[in-house]
Amino acid sequence: MSEAKKAKYIFVTGGVVSSLGKGIAAASLGTLLQKRGLTVQIIKMDPYLNVDPGTMNPFQHGEVFVLDDGSETDLDLGHYERFLNKSFKQTNNVTTGQIYSTVISRERRGDYLGATVQVIPHITEEIKARARDRANAEEKPDVVIIEIGGTVGDIESLPFLEAIRQVGLEEGPENVMYIHLTLVPYLSVAGEFKTKPTQHSVRELREIGIQPHILLPRCSQPLTDALKKKIALFCSVPVKSVIVGEDASTIYEVPLKFHAQGMDQIVCDHFGWDAPEPDLSEWEDMVERIKNPRKRVKIGICGKYVMLKDAYKSIIEAFIHAGVYSDARVELVWVSSEDIKKGGAEKYMHDVDGLLIPGGFGERGVEGKIEAIRFAREKRLPFLGICLGMHCAVIEYARNVCGLSDAHSFEFYRDLKHPVIHLMADQEGVTELGGTMRLGAYPCVIREGTKSLEAYGEKEISERHRHRYELNNSYRDMLTDNGLVLSGTSPDGRLIEMVEIPDHPWFVAVQFHPELKSHPLDPHPLFRDFVKAAVVFSEGNGGREEEQGKNDSATAES
Ligand code: GLN
């Protein structure tokens, strides 16, 4: 592409209902364009008033995805990074909260002196400025894909839709595409698919002034040609631009399904790109391995939000990636920490090949997690602890190996005799809760002769963090004297980032969040080796046969 090229814009909107997979659709199209040699930027625009999702309850919003730069973003950024194998920035996630706080602080500064500050043009101009910021990113992207959160018809999304309509006018039709995702429900009483909600949703979009170029009807099964023609006619798009998004057994199959229907070619034709066909062979191989693994392992996950799998989205995905490596389906067994506390670990964990304790906040369920870790340590069950999972592992070790029966974390109790986990020094005096944790990428140096080093294969690594508490250095000697290995520290040696138990088959706990940096073609080394150890554990117990073609485990539910 020439030096002076201007980025094109693709806007992805959704209609009928939420949770149709706009993020995966946007990421899948991005993947196809990237594999055609194009440079892709991608933005999620969220219409809520929070500045970022960092202060939201994961029960409501799903996980908070932390980027290298420390921003706390929507979980769709996780899909973008996993699919595109690229690291994004805070500016890739825009919220109404950010837009309004920028405009309001400008107003207070006096930048709009004399003017009445309004949604149109002030808010819409700021939304467009955020889109243009990524279009002008350092890497000079060929295209910016912009996903608008929410559903067409929501009051909250109106300023975003108005802004993207204006972009279409300002940039010219040859530089902008609109893609609209809808639902085509199957009514079993009538025995047929219904296209009416799609027609209404597109009509609503057209009332705003946006005519979609591509329609993505989601449905449970393939649509007949007759139905595609009907949708095309009523919604005013060519039949070939009705790209059916039928349910896939794995989200990683979506780019393949889009490509098979010619979606990336339609985009290239619209923008006049003469881009080569994508080489999808590696991707196809990965999807095949997800769908038809030879082995199976069961991993127990013990956390507070077990009822809401979106709260652990990146962990679920990291296990899928690690499973590809080990040719195993990783079946996740969600165990409630409260159940373990009441019924004991043996009852809920006797049939798992590994235990993962994810990150979390608050005291509820912590005793159950500590009990689960004790079980894993004593039964030599592979274990991976993440953030709060590492805190619990250190408490367990201090209590049951070092003999400090009242060891606990300062996060939960203030007047502790043995606060083996305490507040980080730079968190003292922090009173505002939004965006003030230790966030984002920090370097870590790994100790020789450890399983951690074996996994990473390099001594200096960088991982993403989101926490306020850490291992209390006053207990370092006691823990190491009793056999715990402090396997990773900050380069100045002051913060403990990783611990492990050397005479255990695989017991590693980390202060950071490895799940945020796993990719389907490049699994995270800790998840990869953890799953490998779980396969060994299961084979030691006779192994688990995988039923070919079976695809209903927790891991396939993404
Ligand atoms: N609540 C703990 C802290 O703030 C752990 C955070 C986490 O698990 N992400 O340090």
Side-chain angles (χ1 to χ4, degrees):
M1 303 271 153
S2 73
E3 272 295 301
K5 77 173 179 203
K6 270 185 77 186
K8 312 284 186 186
Y9 293 89
I10 300 176
F11 295 105
V12 181
T13 54
V16 185
V17 292
S18 59
S19 305
L20 286 178
K22 278 197 303 282
I24 289 162
S28 296
L29 176 59
T31 304
L32 292 174
L33 298 178
Q34 196 185 48
K35 291 200 181 293
R36 280 177 170 258
L38 297 154
T39 306
V40 180
Q41 272 289 330
I42 187 160
I43 306 177
K44 173 79 188 285
M45 293 196 167
D46 277 312
Y48 48 70
L49 277 163
N50 303 59
V51 169
D52 64 43
T55 51
M56 287 189 215
N57 186 337
F59 269 127
Q60 275 194 28
H61 187 263
E63 93 180 348
V64 174
F65 193 83
V66 179
L67 306 180
D68 277 339
D69 68 6
S71 45
E72 297 177 284
T73 68
D74 184 73
L75 57 75
D76 275 325
L77 269 287
H79 292 310
Y80 300 168
E81 288 204 345
R82 286 187 280 272
F83 275 69
L84 295 164
N85 202 354
K86 203 167 160 172
S87 172
F88 290 108
K89 296 183 174 172
Q90 196 205 346
T91 38
N92 293 89
N93 191 189
V94 174
T95 66
T96 298
Q98 289 169 22
I99 300 282
Y100 272 80
S101 54
T102 306
V103 171
I104 290 170
S105 54
R106 242 184 240 146
E107 187 276 331
R108 291 290 79 189
R109 250 192 348 245
D111 291 8
Y112 303 115
L113 272 190
T116 307
V117 182
Q118 294 182 297
V119 172
I120 304 172
H122 300 95
I123 294 298
T124 44
E125 282 304 321
E126 183 57 25
I127 294 171
K128 289 189 289 180
R130 301 295 177 112
R132 296 215 162 93
D133 167 78
R134 288 297 81 200
N136 297 323
E138 326 65 55
E139 61 178 6
K140 300 258 168 277
D142 294 293
V143 61
V144 190
I145 299 176
I146 299 170
E147 178 196 347
I148 308 294
T151 308
V152 169
D154 296 347
I155 291 175
E156 297 188 319
S157 5
L158 277 174
F160 289 95
L161 297 175
E162 170 57 17
I164 70 172
R165 181 192 71 80
Q166 292 177 14
V167 175
L169 278 184
E170 290 162 9
E171 299 292 319
E174 68 287 5
N175 296 317
V176 175
M177 280 189 98
Y178 298 99
I179 298 180
H180 191 54
L181 195 80
T182 67
L183 177 71
V184 176
Y186 182 78
L187 282 199
S188 45
V189 274
E192 56 183 8
F193 286 104
K194 291 294 183 189
T195 65
K196 194 72 82 190
T198 295
Q199 295 175 36
H200 281 301
S201 176
V202 171
R203 186 191 297 161
E204 200 152 5
L205 204 54
R206 286 158 79 179
E207 276 169 15
I208 297 166
I210 296 171
Q211 165 63 49
H213 298 90
I214 294 180
L215 278 183
L216 275 177
R218 283 292 316 271
C219 48
S220 50
Q221 282 159 44
L223 292 182
T224 60
D225 283 347
L227 273 173
K228 280 172 71 169
K229 271 192 193 146
K230 186 173 172 188
I231 293 173
L233 182 69
F234 278 99
C235 301
S236 237
V237 297
V239 183
K240 69 171 184 6
S241 300
V242 178
I243 309 288
V244 180
E246 67 193 63
D247 293 352
S249 57
T250 155
I251 55 171
Y252 300 107
E253 203 174 12
V254 176
L256 304 178
K257 291 194 176 230
F258 282 179
H259 179 66
Q261 295 176 74
M263 187 182 190
D264 43 316
Q265 191 56 51
I266 293 172
V267 172
C268 289
D269 291 345
H270 180 91
F271 291 137
W273 285 330
D274 185 17
E277 279 287 317
D279 177 3
L280 296 172
S281 48
E282 214 186 351
W283 198 275
E284 282 163 350
D285 184 50
M286 174 263 293
V287 168
E288 185 51 33
R289 286 167 72 97
I290 291 176
K291 287 166 80 172
N292 294 306
R294 282 187 303 115
K295 299 173 232 167
R296 180 165 65 98
V297 281
K298 263 191 181 182
I299 305 277
I301 297 196
C302 181
K304 193 159 71 171
Y305 306 113
V306 292
M307 298 311 292
L308 182 78
K309 300 203 176 89
D310 266 0
Y312 300 117
K313 190 87 217 157
S314 294
I315 287 177
I316 295 174
E317 296 305 318
F319 274 124
I320 295 177
H321 311 158
V324 170
Y325 180 89
S326 279
D327 203 7
R329 180 180 314 288
V330 181
E331 195 182 322
L332 302 179
V333 187
W334 302 87
V335 279
S336 135
S337 34
E338 316 245 296
D339 284 347
I340 291 200
K341 191 172 166 218
K342 281 185 223 131
E346 176 81 44
K347 180 166 170 203
Y348 296 98
M349 289 174 52
H350 66 274
D351 190 33
V352 299
D353 308 313
L355 170 71
L356 177 122
I357 307 275
F361 297 82
E363 206 260 336
R364 185 161 66 80
V366 160
E367 289 303 325
K369 289 174 194 174
I370 294 171
E371 199 43 43
I373 296 170
R374 177 191 187 130
F375 181 87
R377 183 176 54 75
E378 291 178 351
K379 303 284 180 201
R380 303 176 64 73
L381 185 67
F383 170 75
L384 176 58
I386 296 177
C387 205
L388 180 65
M390 170 174 142
H391 296 176
C392 292
V394 171
I395 297 168
E396 193 281 323
Y397 207 83
R399 285 187 190 174
N400 302 322
V401 180
C402 309
L404 301 184
S405 58
D406 46 5
H408 219 314
S409 166
F410 187 69
E411 178 176 2
F412 314 125
Y413 298 102
R414 296 282 133 151
D415 54 347
L416 287 172
K417 190 154 165 231
H418 293 298
V420 290
I421 304 297
H422 71 167
L423 191 66
M424 300 186 72
D426 56 7
Q427 287 288 327
E428 275 165 32
V430 171
T431 49
E432 287 214 0
L433 295 184
T436 55
M437 281 187 252
R438 178 177 180 234
L439 288 165
Y442 285 92
C444 168
V445 178
I446 311 182
R447 203 187 159 98
E448 295 282 356
T450 57
K451 293 201 181 64
S452 306
L453 185 59
E454 204 178 296
Y456 281 91
E458 55 187 343
K459 281 187 76 172
E460 280 173 40
I461 58 161
S462 169
E463 290 284 2
R464 296 178 183 177
H465 299 69
R466 184 173 190 248
H467 65 118
R468 295 187 201 278
Y469 299 87
E470 62 167 350
L471 195 151
N472 183 343
N473 283 334
S474 317
Y475 292 89
R476 271 190 190 200
D477 290 347
M478 183 207 67
L479 291 163
T480 50
D481 289 350
N482 282 283
L484 192 71
V485 168
L486 310 178
S487 46
T489 62
S490 55
D492 63 8
R494 283 163 59 192
L495 304 178
I496 304 300
E497 303 279 31
M498 311 175 84
V499 302
E500 59 180 73
I501 299 179
D503 56 359
H504 183 287
W506 209 89
F507 190 109
V508 177
V510 294
Q511 183 56 76
F512 46 79
H513 289 268
E515 73 276 19
L516 303 177
K517 286 182 66 174
S518 185
H519 301 278
L521 297 174
D522 185 15
H524 190 282
L526 291 179
F527 276 86
R528 185 198 64 212
D529 280 15
F530 174 45
V531 168
K532 225 161 65 176
V535 171
V536 171
F537 183 91
S538 122
E539 283 169 352
N541 292 327
R544 296 178 195 273
E545 289 269 308
E546 172 56 7
E547 240 175 79
Q548 289 298 310
K550 176 175 174 279
N551 222 342
D552 60 354
S553 70
T555 51
E557 275 178 28
S558 315

